[in-house]
């Protein structure tokens, strides 16, 4: 009898529960708002479909360490974590009569899903071509272009493997990618969850209120309600960082505009490819302002600045998210596998995200995340 392949099994992933997780406390007025300045047609930027994806896979460490229990307690721990960063539970709004679109922290919540897949974690890790499976381990629904205010901007999917291992898949709108990458949110959330599990461990076995595991065959959520727009198109993600002592940590003045261009040139040199010519650009101008647009690498210098004012390539250093493997949701159980990529409806998109974050002692860090199709 032929043994089903990992790719075949991945198509049998089943969503077992879907719920909404709001912040634990109501966000105080005035609610945080992130304005979105768009240089092109809003729909033409592809901003409704672009998202950051992360997958963390864990082997079962104890009897209590299961994906079902982790997901059950996520409702509480994630709610607490979002109280300090309510923008993650917000929604994208487009004014009816002109005005600038924005993400508003309205406490609508993130979407939390539980799933199971008929394979072991080892089967997944041993599979050479993981792209099809990884796309199933995270859930994403494109923001509705007509009524975006009803679309979640963050999804969390906990997938249970047959061996007892599980994965935590996170997808978020590209408009919020910097909050996951630069705010240390994942570590804060994991610490909150670990402390919660310690408190529970001191008592007798406690089943979370939102516990959907059933020893019998669970009811499957209808496909029409859980049709994911997730995709993984074989793109590569490369990250550069630049730390400087400047009064202005943003991207409004030189040399920060030039750094965006130099990040592209450095990626071309390292990867031995030519990027472009059209590049989608997302710039975090400040904590409450994003700039969205596109430019022709060799023609349009309005956004990235002049190429003739100096070479800043040497100021950029390679960076990775290696510390993601240190995120432990249960005791000291570290992730056995970590993956991250930028998702886009169009597989040939080159995407550059420029992020600014303040640091201590007057130092300011700039991060440049490039998603490049193979």
């Amino acid at each position: 009898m032929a043994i089903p392949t990992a790719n075949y099994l991945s198509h049998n992933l089943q969503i077992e529960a879907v719920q909404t997780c709001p912040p634990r406390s109501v966000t105080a007025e005035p609610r945080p708002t992130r304005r979105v300045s768009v240089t092109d047609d809003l729909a033409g930027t592809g901003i409704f479909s672009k998202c950051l994806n992360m997958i963390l896979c864990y082997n079962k460490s104890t009897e209590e360490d299961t994906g079902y229990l982790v997901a059950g307690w996520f409702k509480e721990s994630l709610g607490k974590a979002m109280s300090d960063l309510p923008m993650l539970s917000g929604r994208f709004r487009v004014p009816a009569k002109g005005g600038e679109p924005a993400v508003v922290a309205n406490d609508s919540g993130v979407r939390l899903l539980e799933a199971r897949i008929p394979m072991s974690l080892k089967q997944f890790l041993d599979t050479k071509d993981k792209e099809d499976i990884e796309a199933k381990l995270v859930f994403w629904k494109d923001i509705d272009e007509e009524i975006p205010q009803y679309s979640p901007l963050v999804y969390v999917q906990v997938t249970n493997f047959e061996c007892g291992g599980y994965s935590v898949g996170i997808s978020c709108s590209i408009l919020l990618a910097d909050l996951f990458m630069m705010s240390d949110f994942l570590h804060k959330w994991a610490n909150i969850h670990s402390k919660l599990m310690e408190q529970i461990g001191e008592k007798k076995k406690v089943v979370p209120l939102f516990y959907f595991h059933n020893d019998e065959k669970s009811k499957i959520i209808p496909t029409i309600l859980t049709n994911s727009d997730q995709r993984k198109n074989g793109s590569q993600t490369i990250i550069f960082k630049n730390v400087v002592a400047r009064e202005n940590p943003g991207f409004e003045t030189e040399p920060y505009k030039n750094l965006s261009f130099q990040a592209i040139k450095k990626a071309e040199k390292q990867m031995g490819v030519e990027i472009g010519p059209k590049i989608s650009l997302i710039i975090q101008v400040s904590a409450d302002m994003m700039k969205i647009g596109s430019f022709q690498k060799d023609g349009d210098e309005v956004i990235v600045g002049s190429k003739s004012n100096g070479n800043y390539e040497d100021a950029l250093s390679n960076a990775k998210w290696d510390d993601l493997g240190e995120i432990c949701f249960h005791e000291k159980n570290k992730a056995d596998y970590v993956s991250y990529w930028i998702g886009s409806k169009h597989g040939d998109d080159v995407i550059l995200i420029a992020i600014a974050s303040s640091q201590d002692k007057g130092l300011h860090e700039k991060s440049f995340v490039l998603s490049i199709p193979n």
Side-chain angles (χ1 to χ4, degrees), residues 167-179:
S167 65
V168 177
I170 302 167
S171 62
C172 71
S173 167
I174 208 75
L175 298 170
L176 302 177
D178 63 295
L179 298 181

Side-chain angles (χ1 to χ4, degrees), residues 244-310:
V244 294
R246 295 278 176 178
E247 293 183 0
N248 183 0
F251 283 93
E252 287 301 300
T253 59
E254 301 292 354
Y256 304 122
K257 294 178 182 179
N258 276 322
L259 282 170
S260 298
F261 176 79
Q262 295 300 335
I264 295 169
K265 300 301 292 181
K266 186 161 188 170
E268 287 183 325
K269 182 182 294 186
Q270 289 187 1
M271 299 175 65
V273 298
E274 184 174 350
I275 297 173
K278 185 177 181 180
I279 297 168
S280 297
L281 184 65
I282 299 100
I283 297 180
Q284 179 212 359
V285 178
S286 62
D288 58 0
M289 177 69 171
M290 299 291 285
K291 182 179 289 185
I292 311 295
S294 62
F295 68 95
Q296 296 290 330
K297 185 185 64 178
D298 297 321
D300 187 352
E301 300 173 4
V302 174
I303 298 178
V304 296
S306 171
K307 290 182 274 187
S308 60
N309 291 346

